[in-house]
Amino acid sequence: MAATGSDNKRHRTGEGGGGGGGGGGRSSNGDCEVSMEKLPEHIISDVLHKLDLESLCTAACVSRTFCSAVADLLPAVSSLDLSGFFLDEESLRHVLRRVQESKSLTIDCLQIKNDSSIINILHEHIEELSLLKCSSLSYDILSAIGERCPNLRSLLIEFAGCEAPERFKKKLTEMLQKISLLESLSIKIRGTFNDVFDLRSLELFLPKSVKSLKLQQTDAHFSILWLDKIRDIPWFKLQRLSLVLDVISDVLLITVVLSLPLLVELDLEDRPSIEPSIQSDLTNVGLQSLQVCQHLITLSIVRSRIYDYHTSFKRVDNMGMFLLSEGCGGLESVKLGGFTKVTEAGFSSILHSCQNLKKFELLNASLLSDLAFHNMRGVARSLIELRLLSCRLLTSEALEELSSFSNLEVLDTSGCRSIADLCLYYISSLSTLTKLNLAEADITDKGLALLGRGNSPIAQLCIRGCKRVTDQGIKFLFHGEGKICKTLSLLDVGHMPGISDAAIFIIASAAKALTDLCLRYCFHVTDAAVKMLVDRPNYKSSLLQRLDLYKCRSLSDDLVMLLVHKSSFRGLRWLGIGSTLLVNKRDDFSALCNVMRPWLVVCFDGCEFGCHDGWQFHTFVASSTMH
């Protein structure tokens, strides 16, 4: 939480820093510390109060004055978000001893092996609790939350789905009977359909104060019966509902709108394992029923392909979208996935009708063409996020009028394989864009040169699977005159056969703010590139926190010590090395991490950054950091 002895020594002596000015060769870091000592305490305190936990930890390393101020401030921190740290039981106890009065607590539980580690930190002052990736926790934690957190207002918890549904129901009931002030409940069970919620008796135990309910996953039939029951309960005033189900149907949507007249947010995802029948599927009639929801501002309806069964909403066409946009003009966020019979006319009607639209996302819209985005000037000017995923008919022409979206911060066209270099010409003029995903686009080195000279302050860039980009393109990206060298913190160049050590050398030296780097499936990246990342000249500006080397098959197993030694990759929190020769050194990683890197998670599977997409299947061995 505070600076270590070696950290303080480095800051005092300016070790590794640039040459100092006068004053007997005093380093610039030393001058900085002297200046910090002269700042009034109330100014330092005012500044630190505005920072999150990670920024506070960084500030503590600036000088002894800041270190002391942070130590004094920590006990009074009211909101503690530890989701970016993979803490084991001992580290978690150490942190929370320093911050004992937090009302809001978020924890990544990936390395927490037993319930007691969480139960011991639960107290009556906690009002907001988020427990993520509870792969080793049991449903007993629910009843413990009810016992120890009577003032809880918001709860989010993710389970791995390893126990029987009846046990879950019992523990959930015990919890709900004791937290009468609860306003928001979000429970995700990432298991099979054996772990579905039976909602039919939930209305008997939900506190009257509940306004938001998010459950994954449940059965559509159970949900309809439950919604029918709550329709006649006068105190039940749910405003936000999110469900993952087996199938979304007209009956479900109609029941939702009739039972929840105050609905502000509706998020529905289904995962059918077979083709739904005509009677059990969603049609235009179901979408039309949403016109009754006069308060609705957020809508998400997605048919997922999680089971590789490529079904879609085949009974919804343009008329359904026309009816939706006609009656729901107040929508500010729209996410639609799997509407394969809707064309550009249907989708563009939403853009034209919803004048306050801030987020617009389409997934697997196979008939969406460039025409949907023609004549967009004056339409949806408030748009902040635009995501068009796996829409195969889209080309760069669809984005020609991007400049009319003057507030756009996020653009995602992943899976749109006809997007080409011309798109980057349009993108380069966006002065507000911070996140850009061009995965699988048909861009080339010339396109990256346009982006490198652009004016976009991009912090996150994904060009995964852009197979025509080579090392030369990476050079163009960072050797232009644009802002990206200073702003880029996350870069994904995975699945790119044209990327080799030469590109990594450029990234290491030019990307001054880089903290997350994905190199998965980069077969030509060798040990030399990894060593260069350790010795990157800009390491004092930012430290790598997450590094994905999955299936980098040219790496040798000699890198073990380099990757985990405490003097290299000092900021590293997550390392992915699945399907490399390094997997053979599993025991060495375990032993070394126990001694040198207790907070480092080493993933031997194929997970993406942070193991956010497969944590429920991990098996822990030897060390708490290995899976």
Side-chain angles (χ1 to χ4, degrees), residues 102-104 124-129 151-155:
S102 292
K103 294 182 179 180
S104 177
E124 61 180 10
H125 59 263
I126 296 178
E127 297 180 2
E128 298 180 8
L129 179 63
N151 297 310
L152 198 64
R153 262 74 170 177
S154 175
L155 173 64

Side-chain angles (χ1 to χ4, degrees), residues 606-622:
C607 297
E608 301 283 353
F609 281 146
C611 298
H612 63 80
D613 60 343
W615 54 267
Q616 66 271 30
F617 303 119
H618 291 159
T619 301
F620 289 79
V621 295

Side-chain angles (χ1 to χ4, degrees), residues 431-619:
S431 60
T432 57
L433 193 68
T434 59
K435 298 180 182 179
L436 176 61
N437 190 337
L438 296 170
E440 299 183 39
D442 190 34
I443 61 173
T444 69
D445 297 343
K446 293 181 179 179
L448 287 187
L450 293 171
L451 189 63
R453 294 193 297 268
N455 194 39
S456 301
I458 296 172
Q460 298 182 17
L461 174 64
C462 175
I463 51 175
R464 173 182 296 191
C466 296
K467 300 185 184 302
R468 298 178 66 190
V469 172
T470 69
D471 294 341
Q472 189 69 21
I474 301 299
K475 179 180 179 180
F476 290 157
L477 177 66
F478 290 110
H479 287 183
E481 300 174 356
K483 295 181 179 179
I484 198 165
C485 290
K486 297 179 180 179
T487 60
L488 191 67
S489 61
L490 184 153
L491 177 62
D492 186 339
V493 291
H495 296 262
M496 296 174 63
I499 296 299
S500 70
D501 288 351
I504 311 306
F505 293 162
I506 295 169
I507 294 168
S509 59
K512 298 178 176 62
L514 193 69
T515 59
D516 300 80
L517 179 61
C518 177
L519 302 175
R520 57 172 44 211
Y521 284 94
C522 288
F523 300 133
H524 302 298
V525 171
T526 71
D527 294 9
V530 177
K531 293 174 182 177
M532 178 61 183
L533 288 171
V534 173
D535 299 328
R536 54 195 293 244
N538 294 303
Y539 77 97
K540 287 186 177 62
S541 301
S542 63
L543 299 175
L544 274 180
Q545 297 177 9
R546 298 186 294 184
L547 178 62
D548 189 350
L549 301 173
Y550 179 69
K551 286 205 173 181
C552 290
R553 295 174 178 170
S554 295
L555 299 179
S556 74
D557 57 9
D558 296 332
L559 287 174
V560 176
M561 180 60 73
L562 177 68
L563 288 169
V564 300
H565 196 278
K566 59 185 178 182
S567 65
S568 60
F569 288 117
R570 296 180 61 189
L572 201 63
R573 301 176 189 170
W574 185 89
L575 175 66
I577 56 171
S579 296
T580 68
L581 291 177
L582 289 162
V583 172
N584 299 329
K585 298 291 187 175
R586 192 184 190 101
D587 292 340
D588 293 340
F589 271 108
S590 176
L592 290 169
C593 283
N594 275 335
V595 176
M596 300 182 184
R597 291 291 183 91
W599 288 5
L600 175 63
V601 167
V602 181
C603 180
F604 291 89
D605 297 307
C607 297
E608 301 283 353
F609 281 146
C611 298
H612 63 80
D613 60 343
W615 54 267
Q616 66 271 30
F617 303 119
H618 291 159
T619 301

Side-chain angles (χ1 to χ4, degrees), residues 2 17 59 73-74 80 95 102-103 109 132 192 203 229 353 401 419 442 522 554 567 570 576:
L73 178 64
L74 284 177
L80 191 62
V95 171
S102 292
K103 294 182 179 180
C109 300
L132 312 176
T192 67
E203 75 281 356
K229 283 185 179 181
S353 298
E401 297 192 35
I419 296 292
D442 190 34
C522 288
S554 295
S567 65
R570 296 180 61 189

Side-chain angles (χ1 to χ4, degrees), residues 164-190:
E166 286 303 317
R167 183 169 180 79
F168 165 78
K169 183 177 179 180
K170 176 184 176 183
K171 297 300 179 181
L172 177 62
T173 300
E174 292 176 0
M175 179 188 74
L176 292 176
Q177 290 174 325
K178 296 180 179 180
I179 46 177
S180 60
L181 302 177
L182 191 68
E183 297 176 1
S184 176
L185 175 63
S186 177
I187 301 180
K188 298 180 181 180
I189 299 182
R190 295 199 179 189

